[in-house]
Every structure is written in structure tokens, then in C-alpha cells.
Amino acid sequence: MTGLRLAACAALIVGLLPAGVQIAAGRGASARAQADQERPPRLRLIVVGTREEAEDVVDQLARGRDFEVLARERSIDPTGPDGGDLGALDPASLRPELREALRGVGPGLHTGIVRIPTGYAILQVAAGAPSASFRDDNNPARVLAAAGSGAVQITIPVAGLNEADAVFQSAPKPEGWSQDLAAACRARAESLASILRRLDEAPLTAPDESTLDAMQGQYAWAQLHAYSGNLDRAIERWLAARQMAEAHIPDAVPMMLETLGVAYLHKAGLDNDAFRAPGELCLFPPRTPAAAAYRDTASAARAAQYLAEYLERKPVDLEGRWLLNLAYLAMGRYPDGVPARFRIPRSVFESGESIGRFPDVASVAGLNVYSMAGGAVADAFQNDGRLDIVTSSMDFCEPLHYFRNNGDGTFTERTREAGLADQLGGLNLLQADYDNDGCLDLLVLRGGWEFPIRRSLLRNTCRGTFTDVTRQSGLAETTTATQTAVWADIDNDGWLDLFIGSETGPSQLFRNRGDGTFEDISRQAGVDRSAFTKAVVAADYDGDGWVDFYVSNYNGRNFLYHNNGNRTFAEVGRQAGVDGPWRSFAAWFFDYDNDGRPDLFVNSYYISDDESVRTYLGLPHSGEPSRLYRNLGDGTFRDVAREVGLDKVFMPMAANFGDVDNDGFLDMYLGMGSPSFASLFPHELLLNKGGRRFVSVTESSGTGELHKGHGIAFADLDRDGDEDIVAEIGGAVPGDRHALRLFENPGQGNDWITVKLIGTRSNRSAIGARIAVEVERAGEGGERERRRIYRTAGSGGSFGANPLEQHIGLGRAAQIRSLEVWWPASATRQTFTGVPVNRFIEIREFAQAYTTLDRRALRLGGAERR
């Protein structure tokens, strides 16, 4: 294969060309195309999840199938129900690769297959008027999957995920690989090894190869080495690409300088073992400059050199400024050592108050995980009152990690003993007792951002092991790419049903038959809309006794499905006022203001360092901020994000909520990042101040992990009455693994109660049951103050899972006047008085009394508390 040209090899990698080069190559053509048209053409779009599906669509079009009909049947884009209709659209507003594909395409014709971030696209220049169902409400570019970035500056994509995925897609794979986890692992490993061998055998350039082609090849080659974590080889190729740019493509030089700066910054972390043994190296802002300083600063200094050179050419670039500050951080010279004109002051990250420092005790507690992006669940899988921890990884070849709680403040990995060693991969996971046998089961979700691949339903045998029952349960049908699902009893029959969001097809709703099997009722239930779904969450938002669903989509409107009480749903997102933001990710229902009604948090998600830096510097945004929808009690919501201080544009993937200061108001922890090595922002711990505003305590608590956050769980692991934070950290590529964090709560001095609910007529996990605690305390003037605190049983947010037991902060010097539980399936209410504070209790449905549980407080790491 020594005669293989780099460009020919690079052609095997769909979408490998860096964004900056694409734009440089496509601008002139786009301008000419626009000038040639008297008015914008009307366009249709089909997006599917895999190249194989796209090829099938093109084949059907060639056989005469109607584009509009195929869009309705196959497109995962929000325009699918409209026949893919984008309306009249200026091609200049489209992504560069789509603009280029449209060149020369006349009315009634369509483009070839184009790789875009959300899948594989085919565009048609439509003839005639829009379809009757067409809605023009989201123009000028109704679908951000197809739209250019506009004013939002997208983070430079240094990591190689798209390139490696494209190689995998084009590589030969055994039939049925997506249902065989071991086969998927082998195919992934072999596809990457094969392309790297071919590239390594190729000459640097070929005589008839253009400089642009050669540069593309070098860049793609570097990306694949970066994906694997071989930064030395990657930097060799990027240096070669930079030389070509300097000589022949000067417009690409700034991009190459920034790429090299990012690469050296990531290499600095690898060289200093900052990802495997992070300590305080990855916490931002640092307590002192020395706390963040690497032992070997050579690569960090090279990063600073390239980023400074980049900023000489692009002095107002906020992404470059931020990365330069991080390079100085790694050298132990932040903030004072950063050149003044590029310095981002430490003061913009300082907390307004403190709830104490949360030390990372993962390693001393035995939670030694070094992993890629994945989920995290904390719960008592052995029914012994001890909270175990399970994590997953999107690495096709990495098994789940099951950590058994030893009961002494430490954990031991028991993955193989639990029968989970062959459960490979999984971007997210969540727990529930789906068969009502009293033992918590696990659901593993796979393929998010990448390919359709099987999910796993793992039944807890109640003997310390799990059994894969996916196929016999009926959940193996219709493989999708997903990272999100939610358990809920849609018909109040006492059995948990399952709603699964999809990135590559319609959402799926599986009804639990009560015999260990499920039936897909998505279509008849009216929830089978196709979108690039990133979160599904559940709550009875209107208090009618039937659980409803909210679906958060990365591109397009979000959906609110109102339960009609007959196993059908009506989509009312727009009427309820909760269909934004347009580009969403994590979401959850929670009663942030304790008024008894479930409110809704939805974070916007832009892969943009620029937008995140603007948040910290207080600069105007181009992207939409996150939304906090306050439930108005009449079936509608109002966005109060600005009023409570949440109108920010962060980059959160991981997100969950809990009450870290035990004041009775729910706080949140957001884990930032994207696949790019350049996406490095501190996680945010946001404290809820009385349901009136949220304030950052990241700096004072020491929870500002810089690297990629995914599964988050709030859990009282040491049984001392406050919630610790489990944070599964790691990027989307093998070269961006990171150690798990366990931030131990130092204690706040407030009272609490932990309630474990057990359903009998309702589902055994009690998911959906509602708790109201009325507390009383002495006011400052000696008067008695009363208030109510509300919780709904569930596992919290949409990326990571809290225990199903409900930890409820009560505030200082509190007395419980009453504790009420409402059970939806039986429509019954229990009321208890005289409940002591600072206890663990268990309540069974219909029981006349609660049971006090014996829990021993321990010091995480092994030392017993006195």
C-alpha cells in the first residue's frame, strides 16, 4: 500500500476537512451561487443516522420514490414530519459542506450524501409550493443541523472523533455487529488499526497531489493519532500540515497554530499524568498558582507559544485567549503570568459565598476508574442500605464498572463477580426495579452521538449478579443511537414503562406488560416523533394524576407530551411555552421553588468555547441561554432563567440536581465539555438560594473540574446526612480518558430526612410518588416559621442517576410537623407526624407507620466517624 496517496486515504474519512479549510474552500462558490439566483431556492432535507441508511435513501430516490414521502418516513431531523421542508433558504446560511454539495443542483434534483454533525444528509432543490404542513416559524434556517454556525463560533475540533467514526462506518463489519457487543469492539479496534497502518505506509505526498489535498491528509492523519492518544505522532502530522499552510495556504495558518496549541496543551496533561491522577491539577480556579502547576512544563510552554502566535493574528478571539490562560495555568503562572491584554482575571470565577471545600476522595475510597465519557448510578443494588456505584463508558471495548460498597467508607470493584464483564460500552445508564421483585435492575444506553447499537436491560437476580434479559424482554427491537431514557408508570397499573429517546429515528415508548416483557406502543401513543433527542424526563406537571414526558432535542423544538390518561399523549410543548431552546441537551423536572409544582430546567448546548467565555466575562451572547421554566399551575410555564441567574450559555453535558447544603432547596451541578480537546471549562456547582436565585459556589467548593463531565450523581455515600457528588469524567475519545471524581460534602450543619419509599400497589421503586414535608423552626424574633418542601421519587437529572431514596434537606433547627406521601397508582395519601429529623426511614404504600433504618455514618476512605 506504499503508493497510497494521502488524499485518497483521507477520502475514506467522511467529513475530515477542518472547518476553517472547508470555509476557505467553499466561500467563493457560495457567493457565486447566491449571485446566480434571483431568489433563494426552496429546499428539502433528509437526515439519517448511518451512511448505509443514506445510501438506501439515495437508491430509493433513484427508483422514483418521492423525496417528501421519504423525509416523512426516514428523516431524523425535526423537519421530517413536514416532508423535510426548509422553505426558501439562502444557501449562504447553510453549513459549508451543504453549500458546496448544492452547487449545480437544479430544481427537482438532490445532492449526494453529505456528512454533518447529526448524521448523513441529502438536500433537494424542491419545485413548487411548500407542503400543506410546512411551518415557517423557525426560519431563516429552520434546522441547525443544516445551518451554518452564524454568529456562534464553534470550538476547533481537535480530537479525531469524527474521523474515527467515519473510518468505522466505512470499514467492513460482520452482519449483526450492532447486536453483538464483542463484535462491535473488535470492529472498532480493527478499523482504526487498519487505517493507521495504511497511512503509516503512505508517502508524505504524491507527485500529482494538490497542496490542499496533502494538507487535508496530514490533518486527518493527525486527528486519528490524537483520537488514540498518541499526541507525539499527531503533532508530527500537524507540524507538516502547518508547513504546507505557511507555504501555500496562508488563510489556514491561524487554524494550524491554534490546533498545535491545543495539541500541546493536551499533551502536557498526558505527560504529567494529570488525567489519571488529577488531584488539584484539573480544578479551576486553583487555590494557588502552584496547586495547578505541572511538574514538566515543556509542552505547556509550547502550547502557550503557539497560542500566543495565534492571538497575534486573531487578537480578539476569546477561545484563543481562554486556552492561553489554561496554558499558563499548567505552567503555574495563572493569572499574573498571562500577558495582560489576554489575561482572563481570576476574579470572574470567584464564588460569592462558601459552603466549604469538597475534597476529591475517589482514590482513597477505592473508586479507581480511568475512563471515557459515560454514565454513573449510585444506589443500593444489594438491598443492604449501602449505596453502590456503577459507571459506564462509550468505549466500545470497556465493560461497566460495578463498585460494591464495603460498608466502611470504601468500595471494591466487583464487575466480573456481578456478571457485568461482558457488558461493553454505554454512554449512560439508569436504574429501576422494572419487574417489582424488590431488586434494582440496570438499563445501559449506547450509541449516543455515534451509531445505532443495542441497549441492555440487566435484571438483578437478587443474588449479587445481573442477567442480560434485553432480547427476551422485547427491548432489543429497533436498534437506535441513544443516551437517554426514563422509567415511568404511564397508565398507573403499578408497572414501570420505559420511554427511550433516539438520535437516529423515532422515540420509543415500551409498555410493561407485567410479565417481564414490554410492547412498543410508540405509534399508537403518539410519541414516535423523530429528532436528535438528548434527554427525556418525566413528571405529572399538571397534577392530574398521570405522568407526562418532556423531550429535549439537540436541533429543533422540544416536545412536551401530555398524558391523556388512556395510554396516548398530546404534544403541547409550544402551547405550554417550553419548546425551547432550539439547541438543547440535559433536562429535568424539579420543584426549585417549593411551591408544590414541578418546574423544568433545560440547558442549551453549543460546542463553543467563545460562548462560554462570554458567560464568565459578562459579554453578549449569540447562542440561546439555558431555560428555567416555572410551572404556573395552569398547564403553562414561564421562563425565569434571567430572574434567577441561570440565563447563561455554558457547555453542559453532565447535569443533575440535589441539595448539597440541606436547606430544602434543590441545587445543581453541571459538567462541561465537548469531544474537542479544546473544550475545557470548570464544572459549575450552583446553589439554590431560597428558590429566588442560583449562585456559583464552584471556586469555594473546589468542584471546578476542567475536563469532560458526564454522569453525575448526588448521594449520601458515607451516611452522614449530606449529599456527596459522584462525577464520571472523561472525553469521547480514548486519548481523553480521565479519573472519576468523588467530591465529599464537608457538612453544612442543617437538618435532613432520607425517605425510602416501597410501592405495593404502585411500582416497587415508587418512581413518581410525591413527598411533602412540612417543617417548623423558630424565627429570628422567636415566632414559629412553617414551610413545605416537596420531592418526587426518581433518579434526578438526565445524565447520571441519584439513588431512588429521597434525601431531603430541612434547614437549620427544623422540626417535622408532617410528612405526606401521595401514590399515583393507588391515588392514596399517607400522613405521618412526630417524625424525627436526621434519620433514615422507610415507608411502604398503605402502611400505618414508618420504619426507622439503621445506617452507620462513615468517613469516606475507611475511617469511622466518631
Side-chain angles (χ1 to χ4, degrees):
M1 197 62 68
T2 54
L4 181 70
R5 293 171 54 199
L6 278 177
C9 193
L12 297 172
I13 306 170
V14 183
L16 61 87
L17 187 59
V21 178
Q22 287 179 324
I23 292 170
R27 251 179 214 146
S30 174
R32 287 193 301 274
Q34 185 177 1
D36 289 343
Q37 299 180 68
E38 295 182 1
R39 56 185 177 183
R42 190 167 63 82
L43 303 176
R44 291 188 187 276
L45 173 72
I46 294 174
V47 180
V48 293
T50 68
R51 174 162 285 275
E52 290 80 1
E53 292 176 280
E55 290 170 349
D56 183 59
V57 168
V58 170
D59 181 62
Q60 292 193 51
L61 290 170
R63 298 183 186 190
R65 286 293 306 280
D66 184 77
F67 195 99
E68 180 179 351
V69 172
L70 275 173
R72 293 180 192 279
E73 293 177 356
R74 304 287 295 276
S75 183
I76 63 174
D77 193 85
T79 59
D82 297 337
D85 217 325
L86 291 170
L89 207 61
D90 183 350
S93 69
L94 296 174
R95 298 180 58 83
E97 58 267 49
L98 292 175
R99 292 203 305 265
E100 185 66 21
L102 273 172
R103 290 179 61 190
V105 178
L109 302 178
H110 61 81
T111 68
I113 299 167
V114 184
R115 180 72 163 102
I116 62 175
T118 55
Y120 295 82
I122 302 115
L123 273 174
Q124 182 196 53
V125 179
S131 59
S133 63
F134 172 68
R135 299 185 303 275
D136 197 38
D137 55 327
N138 291 314
N139 267 335
R142 297 182 64 232
V143 185
L144 290 183
S149 61
V152 174
Q153 178 181 321
I154 304 303
T155 297
I156 189 167
V158 181
L161 178 63
N162 288 340
E163 289 77 6
D165 280 353
V167 167
F168 178 77
Q169 286 280 49
S170 62
K173 294 176 282 294
E175 185 175 353
W177 68 269
S178 64
Q179 289 290 330
D180 184 335
L181 300 179
C185 164
R186 289 191 297 272
R188 180 67 155 189
E190 290 168 2
S191 68
L192 186 63
S194 175
I195 194 70
L196 285 174
R197 280 196 303 270
R198 296 172 67 184
L199 284 166
D200 286 342
E201 293 170 357
L204 196 62
T205 59
D208 59 341
E209 187 170 55
S210 73
T211 303
L212 180 59
D213 283 346
M215 180 181 163
Q216 289 177 231
Q218 294 291 340
Y219 201 100
W221 192 351
Q223 288 277 63
L224 290 172
H225 281 304
Y227 173 88
S228 304
N230 191 339
L231 267 296
D232 289 325
R233 296 297 305 277
I235 287 170
E236 287 178 9
R237 299 300 103 221
W238 274 318
L239 286 170
R242 185 226 171 150
Q243 290 177 347
M244 295 173 185
E246 292 277 9
H248 302 286
I249 315 172
D251 286 349
V253 172
M255 179 194 70
M256 292 311 311
L257 292 171
E258 187 183 9
T259 296
L260 285 163
V262 172
Y264 271 109
L265 184 58
H266 194 78
K267 174 175 159 53
L270 293 174
D271 289 347
N272 289 273
D273 216 16
F275 303 137
R276 187 181 295 274
E280 296 206 8
L281 293 177
C282 306
L283 298 181
F284 188 90
R287 285 198 278 188
T288 66
Y294 289 169
R295 179 188 66 260
D296 178 357
T297 61
S299 290
R302 295 295 299 276
Q305 172 192 332
Y306 280 112
L307 290 166
E309 192 175 347
Y310 169 75
L311 286 167
E312 290 301 323
R313 300 169 185 247
K314 303 277 187 178
V316 298
D317 185 83
L318 292 179
E319 176 176 292
R321 280 183 63 190
W322 169 243
L323 293 169
L324 180 66
N325 279 257
L326 292 185
Y328 276 88
L329 177 80
M331 290 189 287
R333 297 173 57 192
Y334 173 84
D336 294 343
V338 183
R341 63 180 177 138
F342 297 132
R343 184 183 305 140
I344 296 178
R346 191 185 192 283
S347 59
V348 303
F349 302 98
E350 290 176 353
S351 301
E353 59 183 89
S354 175
I355 58 171
R357 194 152 183 100
F358 287 55
D360 174 21
V361 297
S363 181
V364 296
L367 295 171
N368 296 305
V369 181
Y370 180 64
S371 187
M372 288 167 56
V377 174
D379 219 321
F381 289 97
Q382 302 302 316
N383 280 338
D384 56 5
R386 304 171 185 172
L387 298 178
D388 309 309
I389 293 174
V390 186
T391 67
S392 64
S393 169
M394 68 184 292
D395 183 345
F396 278 26
C397 298
E398 184 176 351
L400 299 184
H401 295 281
Y402 176 68
F403 289 94
R404 181 82 171 86
N405 190 324
N406 297 323
D408 61 359
T410 67
F411 296 79
T412 300
E413 182 162 5
R414 306 283 291 175
T415 302
R416 185 168 300 280
E417 292 83 349
L420 297 174
D422 60 351
Q423 290 296 324
L424 308 177
L427 188 51
N428 201 4
L429 66 165
L430 61 158
Q431 82 282 24
D433 182 1
Y434 81 92
D435 55 358
N436 286 343
D437 67 352
C439 301
L440 287 175
D441 313 298
L442 270 171
L443 178 72
V444 185
L445 302 164
R446 299 184 176 92
W449 297 109
E450 294 189 296
F451 324 106
I453 190 168
R454 63 162 291 188
R455 59 189 71 107
S456 290
L457 178 62
L458 306 175
R459 181 178 177 271
N460 191 335
T461 66
C462 301
R463 297 186 299 274
T465 60
F466 293 82
T467 301
D468 191 330
V469 295
T470 314
R471 186 165 300 281
Q472 49 267 50
S473 71
L475 294 183
E477 300 301 320
T478 315
T479 301
T480 63
T482 183
Q483 66 173 53
T484 184
V486 66
W487 294 99
D489 183 357
I490 65 166
D491 47 10
N492 286 335
D493 65 353
W495 298 94
L496 285 171
D497 310 298
L498 180 62
F499 191 118
I500 300 179
S502 174
E503 299 174 7
T504 53
S507 292
Q508 296 171 290
L509 178 57
F510 292 95
R511 178 178 172 268
N512 191 332
R513 294 190 179 103
D515 60 0
T517 67
F518 296 80
E519 61 173 325
D520 188 343
I521 62 168
S522 311
R523 183 172 295 277
Q524 55 265 46
V527 299
D528 60 334
R529 283 174 171 79
S530 293
F532 199 84
T533 296
K534 299 306 295 179
V536 291
V537 291
D540 178 9
Y541 76 89
D542 56 353
D544 64 357
W546 303 97
V547 69
D548 312 295
F549 293 111
Y550 185 76
V551 179
S552 167
N553 300 312
Y554 182 58
N555 288 314
R557 291 193 307 111
N558 298 331
F559 310 136
L560 177 61
Y561 288 111
H562 177 261
N563 191 331
N564 297 321
N566 58 2
R567 297 177 185 161
T568 69
F569 294 78
E571 202 288 295
V572 296
R574 183 169 297 163
Q575 299 95 299
V578 295
D579 59 337
W582 185 270
R583 180 165 285 186
S584 302
F585 201 149
W588 60 68
F589 284 102
F590 72 150
D591 188 356
Y592 83 93
D593 54 0
N594 277 326
D595 65 356
R597 297 188 291 262
D599 310 300
L600 179 62
F601 174 75
V602 194
N603 76 256
S604 62
Y605 184 72
Y606 295 90
I607 300 177
S608 172
D609 284 20
D610 178 86
E611 290 292 312
S612 292
V613 176
R614 287 175 179 275
T615 290
Y616 289 111
L617 295 180
L619 299 175
H621 288 289
S622 298
E624 289 181 272
S626 295
R627 306 287 175 85
L628 178 62
Y629 292 113
R630 184 172 183 267
N631 192 328
L632 301 180
D634 60 359
T636 67
F637 296 75
R638 181 172 69 86
D639 180 20
V640 296
R642 181 180 295 275
E643 298 169 31
V644 302
L646 288 178
D647 56 332
K648 314 290 187 184
V649 182
F650 289 124
M651 207 186 302
M653 300 176 292
N656 211 330
F657 61 88
D659 184 1
V660 292
D661 59 351
N662 279 343
D663 68 347
F665 290 93
L666 290 166
D667 315 304
M668 62 177 74
Y669 188 59
L670 308 178
M672 311 302 177
S674 82
S676 175
F677 294 159
S679 293
L680 298 168
F681 285 94
H683 297 12
E684 283 287 329
L685 181 56
L686 299 169
L687 201 64
N688 184 341
K689 301 298 291 180
R692 296 182 300 274
R693 61 191 177 94
F694 287 81
V695 298
S696 174
V697 291
T698 302
E699 179 260 348
S700 60
S701 63
T703 56
E705 167 61 55
L706 275 171
H707 292 101
K708 316 305 169 54
H710 289 87
I712 301 294
F714 287 76
D716 183 7
L717 294 173
D718 48 7
R719 295 317 205 185
D720 64 349
D722 50 47
E723 291 184 302
D724 312 298
I725 302 175
V726 179
E728 201 279 342
I729 312 294
V733 303
D736 203 10
R737 295 179 182 275
H738 198 281
L740 178 140
R741 295 281 200 178
L742 171 55
F743 293 111
E744 182 181 17
N745 195 323
Q748 310 300 320
N750 287 338
D751 295 315
W752 52 274
I753 186 82
T754 296
V755 183
K756 179 180 180 181
L757 298 177
I758 299 179
T760 53
R761 170 66 177 84
S762 300
N763 70 86
R764 178 78 178 225
S765 296
I767 290 174
R770 301 204 290 268
I771 302 170
V773 183
E774 185 175 278
V775 297
E776 181 180 86
R777 73 180 186 92
E780 293 181 0
E783 73 282 3
R784 306 301 292 179
E785 296 178 349
R786 290 190 183 184
R787 66 183 175 113
R788 290 172 73 83
I789 302 166
Y790 298 90
R791 296 290 184 270
T792 300
S795 58
S798 58
F799 208 148
N802 301 338
L804 295 176
E805 65 180 30
Q806 295 301 298
H807 177 90
I808 305 170
L810 305 175
R812 193 172 299 273
Q815 293 180 340
I816 297 176
R817 300 289 300 182
S818 67
L819 189 155
E820 298 177 359
V821 183
W822 187 80
W823 301 86
S826 61
T828 58
R829 190 179 304 274
Q830 295 163 288
T831 302
F832 303 92
T833 59
V835 179
V837 299
N838 303 334
R839 296 288 190 276
F840 297 85
I841 67 172
E842 178 180 286
I843 298 174
R844 289 182 177 267
E845 189 175 12
F846 302 119
Q848 299 299 308
Y850 63 86
T851 302
T852 300
L853 302 173
D854 181 23
R855 300 287 184 261
R856 185 168 55 123
L858 300 160
R859 175 74 65 183
L860 287 171
E864 184 171 353
R865 291 184 187 273
R866 294 180 179 178

